[in-house]
């Protein structure tokens, strides 16, 4: 097994700097991720939020180098830290499908994909796929791997785990498939877990169970979590830190308290104001975020949010992308309203 990270809690375990992932299509260049900075801290959950099409999933797939042609990382660093500074590795510089990258994928960094049905192989049993992941990142033999796989299915609350190991993904319910995928992601004891919309298409009860399970596993294993979702309620419940993403860029980031209680970017404010609360009267109309996210090939000049922004500053917002400003320690925003 990979040695667990022993860094101080104030030091990030995963550092993303200036990440750019572009897709070179026949119709032009799609700047899906356009200069993203992120810090993931040990034993904490980072929530990445934004509307569909903002680049959240592409960002996390870029971390694991899972970008398909015609996309590629053209710039930036993804630094995964070890027990000492000399053990830090920039994932973007690793040989594609080389030994070191394979050890990181599923070993130090695991991922729960958005739709388990498309992630599990239809021709191999769930047990075969989980035990393969275990043996790839450990020295266990086949019998020991099967025993550990069953143990993890028990941990994630799967009923009749020995039978589930013999079944195929299509024989399981949506909630069971999600639990099986969580078991496969956690069975290698990763330092970082990426959860891409892990509760999508699940009923409310199963969604609550999955979120409780992730929090429980984080406390037991001490891992970090990157949670990708458009559901701000999930972020409020699970995350310690949050990054708000719009059209391939991070527009605001900080702790959950800083961003949710003292949001500064007009996009963050619009997202938060559209959430119903108990204080909202039952006949009171909720504010809406007008407009839609433009296609990345039709990216507006200047601040990408300017066509939808209620605080638009003519002659400024459509000219240049705003500089990053520090609201307070750890709370960052990219908005011309705060540029001095």
């Amino acid at each position: 097994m990979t040695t667990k990270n022993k860094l101080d809690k104030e030091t990030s375990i995963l550092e993303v700097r200036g990440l750019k992932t572009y897709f070179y299509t026949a119709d032009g260049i799609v700047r899906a991720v356009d200069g993203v900075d992120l810090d993931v801290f040990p034993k904490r959950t980072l929530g990445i939020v934004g509307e569909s099409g903002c680049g959240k999933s592409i960002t996390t797939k870029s971390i694991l180098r899972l970008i398909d042609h015609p996309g590629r990382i053209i710039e930036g660093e993804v630094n995964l830290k070890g027990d000492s500074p000399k053990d830090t590795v920039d994932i973007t510089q690793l040989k594609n499908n080389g030994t070191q990258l394979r050890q990181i994928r599923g070993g130090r960094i695991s991922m729960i994909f958005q739709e388990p049905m498309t992630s599990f192989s239809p021709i191999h049993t769930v047990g075969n796929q989980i035990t393969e992941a275990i043996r790839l990142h450990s020295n266990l033999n086949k019998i020991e791997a099967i025993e550990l796989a069953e143990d993890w299915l028990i941990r994630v609350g799967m009923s009749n785990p020995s039978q589930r190991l013999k079944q195929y993904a299509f024989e399981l319910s949506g909630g069971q498939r999600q639990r099986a995928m969580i078991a496969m992601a956690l069975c290698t004891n990763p330092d970082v877990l990426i959860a891409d919309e892990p509760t999508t298409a699940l009923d409310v009860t199963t969604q609550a169970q999955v979120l409780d399970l992730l929090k429980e596993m984080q406390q037991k294993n001490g891992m970090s979590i990157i949670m990708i979702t458009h559901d701000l309620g999930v972020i409020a419940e699970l995350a310690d830190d949050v990054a708000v993403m719009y059209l391939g860029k991070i527009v605001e980031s900080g702790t959950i308290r800083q961003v949710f209680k003292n949001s500064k970017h007009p996009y963050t404010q619009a997202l938060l104001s559209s959430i119903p609360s108990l204080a909202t009267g039952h006949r009171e109309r909720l504010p809406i975020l007008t407009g839609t996210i433009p296609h990345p090939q039709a990216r507006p000049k200047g601040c990408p949010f300017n066509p939808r922004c209620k605080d638009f500053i003519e002659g400024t917002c459509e000219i240049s992308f705003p500089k990053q400003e520090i609201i307070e320690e750890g709370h960052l925003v990219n908005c011309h309203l705060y540029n001095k």
Side-chain angles (χ1 to χ4, degrees):
M1 288 288 184
T2 307
T3 302
K4 292 296 293 179
N5 190 282
K6 300 174 182 177
L7 296 172
D8 184 85
K9 67 178 180 179
E10 297 302 323
T11 304
S12 61
I13 186 174
L14 185 68
E15 179 186 81
V16 179
R17 292 291 180 268
L19 182 64
K20 294 184 179 182
T21 302
Y22 291 0
F23 288 78
Y24 294 83
T25 71
D27 296 323
I29 300 174
V30 178
R31 295 184 289 169
V33 179
D34 198 27
V36 164
D37 294 342
L38 292 172
D39 286 290
V40 182
F41 295 94
K43 303 180 183 179
R44 291 175 70 86
T45 296
L46 169 67
I48 304 179
V49 302
E51 298 166 282
S52 297
C54 282
K56 304 184 300 296
S57 294
I58 297 298
T59 297
T60 52
K61 287 182 178 180
S62 297
I63 290 173
L64 281 175
R65 299 272 300 278
L66 295 175
I67 302 301
D68 295 325
H69 180 79
R72 68 173 185 265
I73 297 172
I74 66 159
E75 194 175 306
E77 299 178 355
V78 179
N79 295 313
L80 179 62
K81 301 179 182 179
D83 296 334
S84 65
K86 68 178 182 179
D87 296 324
T88 297
V89 58
D90 181 1
I91 297 175
T92 67
Q93 298 302 309
L94 298 181
K95 184 178 179 181
N96 193 35
N97 291 322
T99 301
Q100 193 171 7
L101 184 57
R102 289 199 302 270
Q103 289 175 342
I104 289 173
R105 288 175 179 163
R108 293 198 63 196
I109 305 177
S110 288
M111 187 165 185
I112 301 172
F113 293 92
Q114 188 170 139
E115 177 43 62
M117 193 62 191
T118 60
S119 302
F120 277 115
S121 167
I123 60 173
H124 298 96
T125 65
V126 169
N128 282 340
Q129 293 174 75
I130 297 177
T131 54
E132 180 183 13
I134 292 171
R135 298 192 68 189
L136 184 63
H137 299 285
S138 73
N139 295 320
L140 299 182
N141 60 38
K142 185 175 181 180
I143 294 177
E144 292 170 331
I146 292 173
E147 291 175 350
L148 183 58
E150 185 172 342
D151 179 60
W152 269 105
L153 289 186
I154 293 172
R155 294 192 204 187
V156 300
M158 184 78 83
S159 61
N160 198 1
S162 59
Q163 177 61 31
R164 302 297 177 231
L165 288 175
K166 301 173 185 176
Q167 293 181 297
Y168 296 88
F170 62 82
E171 297 180 287
L172 305 180
S173 68
Q176 289 172 334
R177 282 195 296 270
Q178 198 74 316
R179 289 175 186 273
M181 172 154 284
I182 292 172
M184 186 162 67
L186 296 179
C187 67
T188 57
N189 198 24
D191 291 314
V192 180
L193 174 69
I194 299 174
D196 188 356
E197 299 280 6
T199 58
T200 296
L202 298 180
D203 61 78
V204 176
T205 300
T206 305
Q207 175 179 336
Q209 291 173 344
V210 168
L211 294 179
D212 287 342
L213 174 63
L214 291 180
K215 288 189 288 187
E216 179 185 349
M217 293 297 104
Q218 182 178 43
Q219 291 170 358
K220 287 183 178 180
N221 300 340
M223 67 183 175
S224 305
I225 296 177
I226 302 175
M227 173 71 71
I228 299 97
T229 182
H230 62 275
D231 190 332
L232 295 180
V234 169
I235 293 300
E237 179 180 350
L238 197 67
D240 301 292
D241 308 297
V242 61
V244 183
M245 196 165 186
Y246 187 81
L247 209 59
K249 293 182 177 290
I250 302 296
V251 297
E252 186 167 2
S253 62
T255 66
I256 196 74
R257 178 194 61 80
Q258 289 171 332
V259 175
F260 275 44
K261 297 294 184 181
N262 189 31
S263 58
K264 294 299 182 183
H265 198 282
Y267 180 58
T268 309
Q269 294 171 348
L271 289 176
L272 292 172
S273 66
S274 65
I275 301 175
S277 70
L278 294 176
T280 305
H282 74 283
R283 291 184 179 276
E284 186 176 338
R285 185 182 296 273
L286 286 171
I288 61 171
L289 178 54
T290 58
T292 58
I293 297 177
H295 190 279
Q297 286 178 318
R299 180 188 300 272
K301 294 182 178 179
C303 173
F305 188 60
N306 83 77
R308 307 171 69 187
C309 184
K310 62 180 178 60
D311 297 312
F312 173 76
I313 304 172
E314 188 173 357
T316 299
C317 293
E318 78 278 27
I319 300 300
S320 62
F321 185 76
K323 296 181 297 182
Q324 187 178 81
E325 296 293 337
I326 302 174
I327 304 302
E328 60 176 306
E329 184 178 359
H331 188 183
L332 308 175
V333 64
N334 291 81
C335 181
H336 284 299
L337 291 173
Y338 309 96
N339 287 166
K340 300 176 180 62

